[in-house]
Amino acid sequence: MAKKSLIEREKKRQKLEQKYHLIRQSLKKRIRSNFSPLSLSEKTKMREKLQSLPRNSAPTRLHRRCFLTGRPRANYRDFGLSGHVLREMVYECLLPGATRSSW
């Protein structure tokens, strides 16, 4: 089980990412746009605005965590579970359609 403080930190990052998503997206779009004749100084101002946003609001700082244990590694997107929890659930036949591997 992951520490509760780490799980709460991740929840806080998710809220920040949702809060600043549209602002970040619009700034990036305006910086990248080739059609708008922005001068170099305007682009640098926009980059400064982008950098002034909170660091934890960046989507790259988010981790996908296991739904049951909170483990940040070896997560499967389809199930939202970490590898060892997924394996235990398959062995107990709790996931329909998933089969055990044997060779």
Side-chain angles (χ1 to χ4, degrees), residues 35-94:
F35 301 112
S36 63
L38 292 176
S39 67
L40 187 61
S41 62
E42 291 177 9
K43 281 193 175 188
T44 55
K45 286 180 185 176
M46 295 215 190
R47 286 190 187 116
E48 287 173 1
K49 284 182 184 178
L50 190 62
Q51 288 178 350
S52 69
L53 295 177
R55 180 176 282 179
N56 282 333
S57 68
T60 56
R61 293 181 68 90
L62 292 177
H63 265 253
R64 214 175 283 111
R65 289 188 171 267
C66 177
F67 180 71
L68 294 177
T69 60
R71 189 169 193 266
R73 298 183 182 204
N75 285 307
Y76 288 87
R77 291 182 187 185
D78 297 337
F79 301 101
L81 300 169
S82 62
H84 72 280
V85 173
L86 180 71
R87 184 181 180 123
E88 289 173 3
M89 291 180 81
V90 169
Y91 284 154
E92 294 171 5
C93 300
L94 296 175

